[in-house]
Structure formats: structure tokens, C-alpha cells
Amino acid sequence: ASSIPANYFEKMTKLTKLDMSTNGFTGALPVSLQVLKHLEFLDLRINSFNSSILDFDLPLLEQLDLRENYLTGSFPLRTGDLYNLRFFLASSNELTGSLPDEISRLVSLERLILTRNSFSRQIPDSMSNISTLRRIEFGNNLFSGSLPSSFGDLPKLQYLELEGNRLTSTLPRALSRLISLSRFRVNSNNMTGSIPVELFNAIKLNQLYIQDNRFTSSLPPELANLTSLQFFHCSDNSLT
């Protein structure tokens, strides 16, 4: 295992794709990555990088994969300037802090995968401005507060995975507007109240995980409308 010298990429300015995944690289992300202005694809997953994430200023970048490292610190603010970024994948790191409102400037983003970190506080309402989002995967973090009702304004959203956080309050009725939703996970939180009937308008839903919360009341008969449903878990609540 070794680190990459900070200036290693300074002369490789024509790179468009860089894949260094599944190796044993350690240390800091080399700052010379910032000179790669033509880079469209950067894959550094499954290494042992242990610095903070660079404030990437790579205007053509479409995919950034940092999964399964030891990256620390908060979500980089300038990442919001990556207007062409479609995939931001950073699960299984040691990232902390809250998600900044600047995240809403990622206007091309389709997948935001931050599972298994230590992000905290409220999920920002401003994420609803990213109308291209198809997958939000925030499971196993420390997010708290309520689930933003503005998520109902994400017409292309297919996966909404928020399991294993500290979310409270009730499920917003606005989720019924997620006509493309196929997987919804809010299990292992502190959510309360009844399950809104409107949720069962999401006719493409095939996985629904709400177990290990504090939901009450009865299961609505509208559940039978979910003809695509394959997996439904509601154990460890107070349903009747």
C-alpha cells in the first residue's frame, strides 16, 4: 500500500477517464486531480484513501465514485458546481456533517449514494430542485428531523432509501406524487403516525420497508392497490 504523490497527474491534462479502483492506495487524494479539466469519469472506489474529499473543479465530470475508502470531513461545497455530474457515489466512508444547500446545484445528478457514513441533521429541502434524481440512498447515517415533503417533487425518483437513521415525524402525503418510485426504505428510524393512504398511489412500488419504527393505526385497504409489490416489511411497529 502506498500514497499517490500530490503532483502525480499534473502533466496528464488530456485524461478523460481515470479508473484506479480496487487497489491499496492510501493517504490523501492527490490535489493534481484538479488539473484534469477534461475528466468525465473518476473511479477511486475500494482503496484506503483517508483524506477529505477535494473541492473538485472538473466541469466535464459525469461520474465520481469514492465508495469504500476512509474519507473524512464534510460534503465538499464546490461539488455543487459540477453541473454535468450524473453519479456521486461515496458510500462506506467516514464522512460527517450536514448536506449543504449547494447540493441543489447538481442539476444533472441521477444517483446520490451516501450510505454508511455519519452524515447528520436535516436532509435539505433544496434537493427537490434536482429534478433528474433517480436514486437517493442515505441509509445508515445519522440524519434526523422529518423527511422533506418536497421529495414529492422528484418525478423520476425510483429509489428512496433512508433506513437506519434518526428520522422522526410522519410520512409526508406528498410522496404519493412519486409515480416512478419502486423501492422505498425508511425502516429503523423513529417515524410515527399512520401510514398515509396516498402512499399507495405509487403503483410501481415493489419494495416497501417500514419496519422498526413507531407507526400506529391500521394498515389501509389501499395497500391492495400495489400490484407490483414483492417485498413488504412492517414488523416492530404498533400497527393493528
Side-chain angles (χ1 to χ4, degrees), residues 48-80:
S48 297
F49 291 113
N50 56 14
S51 65
S52 58
I53 300 177
L54 295 172
D55 266 331
F56 286 109
D57 183 17
L58 303 174
L60 301 181
L61 194 65
E62 294 185 14
Q63 180 164 328
L64 176 58
D65 195 341
L66 304 170
R67 290 174 292 173
E68 296 189 46
N69 280 281
Y70 298 95
L71 297 169
T72 60
S74 58
F75 194 93
L77 294 181
R78 286 202 62 177
T79 297

PDB file of all heavy atoms in Angstrom, residues 48-80:
ATOM      1  N   SER A  48      -7.883   2.813   0.196  1.00  0.00           N
ATOM      2  CA  SER A  48      -7.773   3.226   1.600  1.00  0.00           C
ATOM      3  C   SER A  48      -7.412   4.702   1.710  1.00  0.00           C
ATOM      4  O   SER A  48      -6.683   5.111   2.614  1.00  0.00           O
ATOM      5  CB  SER A  48      -6.716   2.365   2.323  1.00  0.00           C
ATOM      6  OG  SER A  48      -7.103   1.011   2.357  1.00  0.00           O
ATOM      7  N   PHE A  49      -7.911   5.512   0.786  1.00  0.00           N
ATOM      8  CA  PHE A  49      -7.714   6.961   0.891  1.00  0.00           C
ATOM      9  C   PHE A  49      -8.344   7.456   2.188  1.00  0.00           C
ATOM     10  O   PHE A  49      -9.446   7.048   2.552  1.00  0.00           O
ATOM     11  CB  PHE A  49      -8.347   7.676  -0.301  1.00  0.00           C
ATOM     12  CG  PHE A  49      -7.650   7.414  -1.607  1.00  0.00           C
ATOM     13  CD1 PHE A  49      -8.274   6.692  -2.612  1.00  0.00           C
ATOM     14  CD2 PHE A  49      -6.368   7.895  -1.836  1.00  0.00           C
ATOM     15  CE1 PHE A  49      -7.637   6.456  -3.833  1.00  0.00           C
ATOM     16  CE2 PHE A  49      -5.722   7.665  -3.042  1.00  0.00           C
ATOM     17  CZ  PHE A  49      -6.349   6.944  -4.042  1.00  0.00           C
ATOM     18  N   ASN A  50      -7.637   8.351   2.885  1.00  0.00           N
ATOM     19  CA  ASN A  50      -8.126   8.753   4.213  1.00  0.00           C
ATOM     20  C   ASN A  50      -8.087  10.263   4.440  1.00  0.00           C
ATOM     21  O   ASN A  50      -7.964  10.720   5.570  1.00  0.00           O
ATOM     22  CB  ASN A  50      -7.335   8.032   5.310  1.00  0.00           C
ATOM     23  CG  ASN A  50      -5.834   8.277   5.197  1.00  0.00           C
ATOM     24  OD1 ASN A  50      -5.394   9.167   4.486  1.00  0.00           O
ATOM     25  ND2 ASN A  50      -5.055   7.466   5.905  1.00  0.00           N
ATOM     26  N   SER A  51      -8.210  11.040   3.369  1.00  0.00           N
ATOM     27  CA  SER A  51      -8.248  12.489   3.497  1.00  0.00           C
ATOM     28  C   SER A  51      -9.684  12.974   3.367  1.00  0.00           C
ATOM     29  O   SER A  51     -10.624  12.185   3.281  1.00  0.00           O
ATOM     30  CB  SER A  51      -7.386  13.114   2.398  1.00  0.00           C
ATOM     31  OG  SER A  51      -7.945  12.827   1.121  1.00  0.00           O
ATOM     32  N   SER A  52      -9.851  14.265   3.322  1.00  0.00           N
ATOM     33  CA  SER A  52     -11.156  14.816   2.975  1.00  0.00           C
ATOM     34  C   SER A  52     -11.327  14.762   1.456  1.00  0.00           C
ATOM     35  O   SER A  52     -10.361  14.552   0.711  1.00  0.00           O
ATOM     36  CB  SER A  52     -11.283  16.258   3.475  1.00  0.00           C
ATOM     37  OG  SER A  52     -10.254  17.057   2.911  1.00  0.00           O
ATOM     38  N   ILE A  53     -12.559  14.950   0.987  1.00  0.00           N
ATOM     39  CA  ILE A  53     -12.827  14.972  -0.447  1.00  0.00           C
ATOM     40  C   ILE A  53     -12.397  16.327  -1.003  1.00  0.00           C
ATOM     41  O   ILE A  53     -12.677  17.367  -0.415  1.00  0.00           O
ATOM     42  CB  ILE A  53     -14.318  14.731  -0.732  1.00  0.00           C
ATOM     43  CG1 ILE A  53     -14.749  13.365  -0.189  1.00  0.00           C
ATOM     44  CG2 ILE A  53     -14.608  14.805  -2.230  1.00  0.00           C
ATOM     45  CD1 ILE A  53     -16.220  13.076  -0.368  1.00  0.00           C
ATOM     46  N   LEU A  54     -11.701  16.300  -2.111  1.00  0.00           N
ATOM     47  CA  LEU A  54     -11.284  17.543  -2.745  1.00  0.00           C
ATOM     48  C   LEU A  54     -12.510  18.358  -3.176  1.00  0.00           C
ATOM     49  O   LEU A  54     -13.554  17.795  -3.506  1.00  0.00           O
ATOM     50  CB  LEU A  54     -10.419  17.242  -3.974  1.00  0.00           C
ATOM     51  CG  LEU A  54      -9.077  16.556  -3.735  1.00  0.00           C
ATOM     52  CD1 LEU A  54      -8.451  16.160  -5.069  1.00  0.00           C
ATOM     53  CD2 LEU A  54      -8.141  17.468  -2.957  1.00  0.00           C
ATOM     54  N   ASP A  55     -12.345  19.671  -3.209  1.00  0.00           N
ATOM     55  CA  ASP A  55     -13.375  20.531  -3.802  1.00  0.00           C
ATOM     56  C   ASP A  55     -13.194  20.482  -5.311  1.00  0.00           C
ATOM     57  O   ASP A  55     -12.631  21.384  -5.926  1.00  0.00           O
ATOM     58  CB  ASP A  55     -13.225  21.966  -3.289  1.00  0.00           C
ATOM     59  CG  ASP A  55     -14.093  22.232  -2.089  1.00  0.00           C
ATOM     60  OD1 ASP A  55     -15.154  21.594  -1.980  1.00  0.00           O
ATOM     61  OD2 ASP A  55     -13.721  23.069  -1.261  1.00  0.00           O
ATOM     62  N   PHE A  56     -13.673  19.410  -5.899  1.00  0.00           N
ATOM     63  CA  PHE A  56     -13.417  19.156  -7.310  1.00  0.00           C
ATOM     64  C   PHE A  56     -13.955  20.291  -8.184  1.00  0.00           C
ATOM     65  O   PHE A  56     -15.109  20.706  -8.055  1.00  0.00           O
ATOM     66  CB  PHE A  56     -14.058  17.836  -7.747  1.00  0.00           C
ATOM     67  CG  PHE A  56     -13.330  16.618  -7.255  1.00  0.00           C
ATOM     68  CD1 PHE A  56     -13.880  15.816  -6.265  1.00  0.00           C
ATOM     69  CD2 PHE A  56     -12.099  16.274  -7.784  1.00  0.00           C
ATOM     70  CE1 PHE A  56     -13.213  14.688  -5.815  1.00  0.00           C
ATOM     71  CE2 PHE A  56     -11.424  15.147  -7.340  1.00  0.00           C
ATOM     72  CZ  PHE A  56     -11.980  14.346  -6.352  1.00  0.00           C
ATOM     73  N   ASP A  57     -13.098  20.772  -9.072  1.00  0.00           N
ATOM     74  CA  ASP A  57     -13.471  21.786 -10.056  1.00  0.00           C
ATOM     75  C   ASP A  57     -13.214  21.190 -11.439  1.00  0.00           C
ATOM     76  O   ASP A  57     -12.271  21.563 -12.135  1.00  0.00           O
ATOM     77  CB  ASP A  57     -12.651  23.059  -9.837  1.00  0.00           C
ATOM     78  CG  ASP A  57     -13.044  24.171 -10.788  1.00  0.00           C
ATOM     79  OD1 ASP A  57     -14.139  24.080 -11.379  1.00  0.00           O
ATOM     80  OD2 ASP A  57     -12.254  25.116 -10.952  1.00  0.00           O
ATOM     81  N   LEU A  58     -14.047  20.222 -11.797  1.00  0.00           N
ATOM     82  CA  LEU A  58     -13.873  19.461 -13.037  1.00  0.00           C
ATOM     83  C   LEU A  58     -15.171  19.584 -13.838  1.00  0.00           C
ATOM     84  O   LEU A  58     -16.110  18.806 -13.635  1.00  0.00           O
ATOM     85  CB  LEU A  58     -13.559  17.992 -12.719  1.00  0.00           C
ATOM     86  CG  LEU A  58     -12.321  17.764 -11.832  1.00  0.00           C
ATOM     87  CD1 LEU A  58     -12.200  16.288 -11.460  1.00  0.00           C
ATOM     88  CD2 LEU A  58     -11.060  18.232 -12.544  1.00  0.00           C
ATOM     89  N   PRO A  59     -15.243  20.553 -14.726  1.00  0.00           N
ATOM     90  CA  PRO A  59     -16.538  20.926 -15.328  1.00  0.00           C
ATOM     91  C   PRO A  59     -17.191  19.855 -16.190  1.00  0.00           C
ATOM     92  O   PRO A  59     -18.405  19.912 -16.407  1.00  0.00           O
ATOM     93  CB  PRO A  59     -16.182  22.160 -16.169  1.00  0.00           C
ATOM     94  CG  PRO A  59     -14.714  22.053 -16.424  1.00  0.00           C
ATOM     95  CD  PRO A  59     -14.141  21.404 -15.201  1.00  0.00           C
ATOM     96  N   LEU A  60     -16.420  18.869 -16.670  1.00  0.00           N
ATOM     97  CA  LEU A  60     -16.995  17.842 -17.542  1.00  0.00           C
ATOM     98  C   LEU A  60     -17.289  16.532 -16.811  1.00  0.00           C
ATOM     99  O   LEU A  60     -17.801  15.589 -17.416  1.00  0.00           O
ATOM    100  CB  LEU A  60     -16.048  17.560 -18.723  1.00  0.00           C
ATOM    101  CG  LEU A  60     -15.724  18.759 -19.626  1.00  0.00           C
ATOM    102  CD1 LEU A  60     -14.802  18.340 -20.755  1.00  0.00           C
ATOM    103  CD2 LEU A  60     -16.994  19.391 -20.176  1.00  0.00           C
ATOM    104  N   LEU A  61     -16.982  16.476 -15.527  1.00  0.00           N
ATOM    105  CA  LEU A  61     -17.112  15.226 -14.780  1.00  0.00           C
ATOM    106  C   LEU A  61     -18.567  14.764 -14.713  1.00  0.00           C
ATOM    107  O   LEU A  61     -19.460  15.526 -14.344  1.00  0.00           O
ATOM    108  CB  LEU A  61     -16.555  15.403 -13.369  1.00  0.00           C
ATOM    109  CG  LEU A  61     -16.321  14.120 -12.568  1.00  0.00           C
ATOM    110  CD1 LEU A  61     -15.233  13.268 -13.228  1.00  0.00           C
ATOM    111  CD2 LEU A  61     -15.917  14.447 -11.125  1.00  0.00           C
ATOM    112  N   GLU A  62     -18.779  13.497 -15.092  1.00  0.00           N
ATOM    113  CA  GLU A  62     -20.114  12.907 -15.060  1.00  0.00           C
ATOM    114  C   GLU A  62     -20.265  11.849 -13.978  1.00  0.00           C
ATOM    115  O   GLU A  62     -21.360  11.656 -13.454  1.00  0.00           O
ATOM    116  CB  GLU A  62     -20.450  12.281 -16.421  1.00  0.00           C
ATOM    117  CG  GLU A  62     -20.569  13.286 -17.543  1.00  0.00           C
ATOM    118  CD  GLU A  62     -21.010  12.638 -18.837  1.00  0.00           C
ATOM    119  OE1 GLU A  62     -21.473  11.475 -18.805  1.00  0.00           O
ATOM    120  OE2 GLU A  62     -20.896  13.280 -19.890  1.00  0.00           O
ATOM    121  N   GLN A  63     -19.186  11.141 -13.647  1.00  0.00           N
ATOM    122  CA  GLN A  63     -19.274  10.094 -12.633  1.00  0.00           C
ATOM    123  C   GLN A  63     -18.101  10.199 -11.675  1.00  0.00           C
ATOM    124  O   GLN A  63     -16.943  10.210 -12.104  1.00  0.00           O
ATOM    125  CB  GLN A  63     -19.293   8.706 -13.273  1.00  0.00           C
ATOM    126  CG  GLN A  63     -19.389   7.582 -12.238  1.00  0.00           C
ATOM    127  CD  GLN A  63     -19.798   6.255 -12.848  1.00  0.00           C
ATOM    128  OE1 GLN A  63     -20.540   6.209 -13.827  1.00  0.00           O
ATOM    129  NE2 GLN A  63     -19.317   5.167 -12.277  1.00  0.00           N
ATOM    130  N   LEU A  64     -18.406  10.260 -10.380  1.00  0.00           N
ATOM    131  CA  LEU A  64     -17.403  10.321  -9.321  1.00  0.00           C
ATOM    132  C   LEU A  64     -17.703   9.208  -8.337  1.00  0.00           C
ATOM    133  O   LEU A  64     -18.737   9.213  -7.670  1.00  0.00           O
ATOM    134  CB  LEU A  64     -17.444  11.688  -8.617  1.00  0.00           C
ATOM    135  CG  LEU A  64     -16.517  11.881  -7.422  1.00  0.00           C
ATOM    136  CD1 LEU A  64     -15.062  11.662  -7.810  1.00  0.00           C
ATOM    137  CD2 LEU A  64     -16.709  13.275  -6.833  1.00  0.00           C
ATOM    138  N   ASP A  65     -16.803   8.228  -8.267  1.00  0.00           N
ATOM    139  CA  ASP A  65     -17.025   7.047  -7.424  1.00  0.00           C
ATOM    140  C   ASP A  65     -15.927   6.963  -6.380  1.00  0.00           C
ATOM    141  O   ASP A  65     -14.763   6.707  -6.689  1.00  0.00           O
ATOM    142  CB  ASP A  65     -17.041   5.783  -8.286  1.00  0.00           C
ATOM    143  CG  ASP A  65     -17.631   4.587  -7.538  1.00  0.00           C
ATOM    144  OD1 ASP A  65     -17.679   4.628  -6.293  1.00  0.00           O
ATOM    145  OD2 ASP A  65     -18.041   3.616  -8.212  1.00  0.00           O
ATOM    146  N   LEU A  66     -16.315   7.198  -5.119  1.00  0.00           N
ATOM    147  CA  LEU A  66     -15.377   7.201  -3.985  1.00  0.00           C
ATOM    148  C   LEU A  66     -15.748   6.147  -2.952  1.00  0.00           C
ATOM    149  O   LEU A  66     -15.267   6.194  -1.818  1.00  0.00           O
ATOM    150  CB  LEU A  66     -15.383   8.589  -3.327  1.00  0.00           C
ATOM    151  CG  LEU A  66     -15.064   9.774  -4.238  1.00  0.00           C
ATOM    152  CD1 LEU A  66     -15.337  11.085  -3.520  1.00  0.00           C
ATOM    153  CD2 LEU A  66     -13.623   9.714  -4.719  1.00  0.00           C
ATOM    154  N   ARG A  67     -16.556   5.197  -3.306  1.00  0.00           N
ATOM    155  CA  ARG A  67     -17.068   4.223  -2.350  1.00  0.00           C
ATOM    156  C   ARG A  67     -15.955   3.398  -1.708  1.00  0.00           C
ATOM    157  O   ARG A  67     -14.934   3.122  -2.317  1.00  0.00           O
ATOM    158  CB  ARG A  67     -18.060   3.279  -3.038  1.00  0.00           C
ATOM    159  CG  ARG A  67     -19.369   3.925  -3.437  1.00  0.00           C
ATOM    160  CD  ARG A  67     -20.248   2.972  -4.238  1.00  0.00           C
ATOM    161  NE  ARG A  67     -19.660   2.686  -5.555  1.00  0.00           N
ATOM    162  CZ  ARG A  67     -20.146   1.785  -6.401  1.00  0.00           C
ATOM    163  NH1 ARG A  67     -21.204   1.068  -6.071  1.00  0.00           N
ATOM    164  NH2 ARG A  67     -19.574   1.598  -7.575  1.00  0.00           N
ATOM    165  N   GLU A  68     -16.198   3.016  -0.466  1.00  0.00           N
ATOM    166  CA  GLU A  68     -15.351   2.073   0.278  1.00  0.00           C
ATOM    167  C   GLU A  68     -13.904   2.551   0.376  1.00  0.00           C
ATOM    168  O   GLU A  68     -12.964   1.916  -0.070  1.00  0.00           O
ATOM    169  CB  GLU A  68     -15.435   0.673  -0.338  1.00  0.00           C
ATOM    170  CG  GLU A  68     -16.831   0.079  -0.230  1.00  0.00           C
ATOM    171  CD  GLU A  68     -16.901  -1.376  -0.642  1.00  0.00           C
ATOM    172  OE1 GLU A  68     -16.041  -2.159  -0.209  1.00  0.00           O
ATOM    173  OE2 GLU A  68     -17.829  -1.723  -1.401  1.00  0.00           O
ATOM    174  N   ASN A  69     -13.766   3.730   0.977  1.00  0.00           N
ATOM    175  CA  ASN A  69     -12.474   4.250   1.393  1.00  0.00           C
ATOM    176  C   ASN A  69     -12.583   4.646   2.863  1.00  0.00           C
ATOM    177  O   ASN A  69     -13.472   4.158   3.569  1.00  0.00           O
ATOM    178  CB  ASN A  69     -12.079   5.447   0.514  1.00  0.00           C
ATOM    179  CG  ASN A  69     -11.512   5.017  -0.823  1.00  0.00           C
ATOM    180  OD1 ASN A  69     -10.351   4.632  -0.926  1.00  0.00           O
ATOM    181  ND2 ASN A  69     -12.320   5.094  -1.883  1.00  0.00           N
ATOM    182  N   TYR A  70     -11.702   5.509   3.312  1.00  0.00           N
ATOM    183  CA  TYR A  70     -11.755   6.018   4.685  1.00  0.00           C
ATOM    184  C   TYR A  70     -11.790   7.545   4.658  1.00  0.00           C
ATOM    185  O   TYR A  70     -11.196   8.206   5.503  1.00  0.00           O
ATOM    186  CB  TYR A  70     -10.554   5.515   5.487  1.00  0.00           C
ATOM    187  CG  TYR A  70     -10.514   4.012   5.626  1.00  0.00           C
ATOM    188  CD1 TYR A  70      -9.773   3.226   4.738  1.00  0.00           C
ATOM    189  CD2 TYR A  70     -11.242   3.366   6.628  1.00  0.00           C
ATOM    190  CE1 TYR A  70      -9.748   1.845   4.858  1.00  0.00           C
ATOM    191  CE2 TYR A  70     -11.223   1.981   6.749  1.00  0.00           C
ATOM    192  CZ  TYR A  70     -10.471   1.236   5.858  1.00  0.00           C
ATOM    193  OH  TYR A  70     -10.452  -0.144   5.976  1.00  0.00           O
ATOM    194  N   LEU A  71     -12.482   8.098   3.700  1.00  0.00           N
ATOM    195  CA  LEU A  71     -12.544   9.545   3.529  1.00  0.00           C
ATOM    196  C   LEU A  71     -13.296  10.194   4.681  1.00  0.00           C
ATOM    197  O   LEU A  71     -14.290   9.658   5.175  1.00  0.00           O
ATOM    198  CB  LEU A  71     -13.206   9.880   2.195  1.00  0.00           C
ATOM    199  CG  LEU A  71     -12.443   9.385   0.962  1.00  0.00           C
ATOM    200  CD1 LEU A  71     -13.296   9.516  -0.286  1.00  0.00           C
ATOM    201  CD2 LEU A  71     -11.127  10.134   0.803  1.00  0.00           C
ATOM    202  N   THR A  72     -12.808  11.348   5.093  1.00  0.00           N
ATOM    203  CA  THR A  72     -13.358  12.038   6.263  1.00  0.00           C
ATOM    204  C   THR A  72     -13.796  13.453   5.878  1.00  0.00           C
ATOM    205  O   THR A  72     -13.657  13.881   4.743  1.00  0.00           O
ATOM    206  CB  THR A  72     -12.305  12.112   7.380  1.00  0.00           C
ATOM    207  OG1 THR A  72     -11.161  12.837   6.895  1.00  0.00           O
ATOM    208  CG2 THR A  72     -11.865  10.726   7.809  1.00  0.00           C
ATOM    209  N   GLY A  73     -14.313  14.166   6.868  1.00  0.00           N
ATOM    210  CA  GLY A  73     -14.710  15.547   6.635  1.00  0.00           C
ATOM    211  C   GLY A  73     -16.130  15.642   6.129  1.00  0.00           C
ATOM    212  O   GLY A  73     -16.899  14.677   6.127  1.00  0.00           O
ATOM    213  N   SER A  74     -16.492  16.821   5.671  1.00  0.00           N
ATOM    214  CA  SER A  74     -17.862  17.105   5.277  1.00  0.00           C
ATOM    215  C   SER A  74     -18.028  17.048   3.765  1.00  0.00           C
ATOM    216  O   SER A  74     -17.064  16.876   3.020  1.00  0.00           O
ATOM    217  CB  SER A  74     -18.269  18.493   5.800  1.00  0.00           C
ATOM    218  OG  SER A  74     -17.370  19.479   5.295  1.00  0.00           O
ATOM    219  N   PHE A  75     -19.262  17.204   3.337  1.00  0.00           N
ATOM    220  CA  PHE A  75     -19.575  17.208   1.907  1.00  0.00           C
ATOM    221  C   PHE A  75     -18.956  18.452   1.285  1.00  0.00           C
ATOM    222  O   PHE A  75     -19.205  19.561   1.734  1.00  0.00           O
ATOM    223  CB  PHE A  75     -21.088  17.204   1.711  1.00  0.00           C
ATOM    224  CG  PHE A  75     -21.539  16.868   0.331  1.00  0.00           C
ATOM    225  CD1 PHE A  75     -21.837  15.563  -0.009  1.00  0.00           C
ATOM    226  CD2 PHE A  75     -21.672  17.858  -0.635  1.00  0.00           C
ATOM    227  CE1 PHE A  75     -22.270  15.241  -1.291  1.00  0.00           C
ATOM    228  CE2 PHE A  75     -22.101  17.548  -1.919  1.00  0.00           C
ATOM    229  CZ  PHE A  75     -22.395  16.230  -2.244  1.00  0.00           C
ATOM    230  N   PRO A  76     -18.142  18.307   0.247  1.00  0.00           N
ATOM    231  CA  PRO A  76     -17.425  19.467  -0.317  1.00  0.00           C
ATOM    232  C   PRO A  76     -18.376  20.446  -0.991  1.00  0.00           C
ATOM    233  O   PRO A  76     -19.184  20.074  -1.844  1.00  0.00           O
ATOM    234  CB  PRO A  76     -16.467  18.832  -1.326  1.00  0.00           C
ATOM    235  CG  PRO A  76     -17.072  17.521  -1.674  1.00  0.00           C
ATOM    236  CD  PRO A  76     -17.815  17.058  -0.458  1.00  0.00           C
ATOM    237  N   LEU A  77     -18.280  21.722  -0.625  1.00  0.00           N
ATOM    238  CA  LEU A  77     -19.224  22.725  -1.113  1.00  0.00           C
ATOM    239  C   LEU A  77     -19.125  22.925  -2.619  1.00  0.00           C
ATOM    240  O   LEU A  77     -20.131  23.076  -3.297  1.00  0.00           O
ATOM    241  CB  LEU A  77     -18.990  24.058  -0.391  1.00  0.00           C
ATOM    242  CG  LEU A  77     -19.291  24.081   1.108  1.00  0.00           C
ATOM    243  CD1 LEU A  77     -19.034  25.461   1.679  1.00  0.00           C
ATOM    244  CD2 LEU A  77     -20.730  23.665   1.372  1.00  0.00           C
ATOM    245  N   ARG A  78     -17.920  22.911  -3.164  1.00  0.00           N
ATOM    246  CA  ARG A  78     -17.768  23.198  -4.593  1.00  0.00           C
ATOM    247  C   ARG A  78     -18.266  22.056  -5.464  1.00  0.00           C
ATOM    248  O   ARG A  78     -18.419  22.222  -6.679  1.00  0.00           O
ATOM    249  CB  ARG A  78     -16.309  23.517  -4.928  1.00  0.00           C
ATOM    250  CG  ARG A  78     -15.881  24.896  -4.461  1.00  0.00           C
ATOM    251  CD  ARG A  78     -14.693  25.406  -5.219  1.00  0.00           C
ATOM    252  NE  ARG A  78     -14.957  25.562  -6.659  1.00  0.00           N
ATOM    253  CZ  ARG A  78     -14.064  26.051  -7.506  1.00  0.00           C
ATOM    254  NH1 ARG A  78     -12.873  26.422  -7.062  1.00  0.00           N
ATOM    255  NH2 ARG A  78     -14.352  26.155  -8.786  1.00  0.00           N
ATOM    256  N   THR A  79     -18.521  20.914  -4.864  1.00  0.00           N
ATOM    257  CA  THR A  79     -19.102  19.833  -5.650  1.00  0.00           C
ATOM    258  C   THR A  79     -20.400  20.288  -6.309  1.00  0.00           C
ATOM    259  O   THR A  79     -20.777  19.804  -7.374  1.00  0.00           O
ATOM    260  CB  THR A  79     -19.354  18.603  -4.737  1.00  0.00           C
ATOM    261  OG1 THR A  79     -18.096  18.147  -4.242  1.00  0.00           O
ATOM    262  CG2 THR A  79     -20.009  17.478  -5.501  1.00  0.00           C
ATOM    263  N   GLY A  80     -21.053  21.253  -5.698  1.00  0.00           N
ATOM    264  CA  GLY A  80     -22.274  21.795  -6.276  1.00  0.00           C
ATOM    265  C   GLY A  80     -22.075  22.481  -7.612  1.00  0.00           C
ATOM    266  O   GLY A  80     -23.040  22.778  -8.309  1.00  0.00           O
TER     267      GLY A  80
END
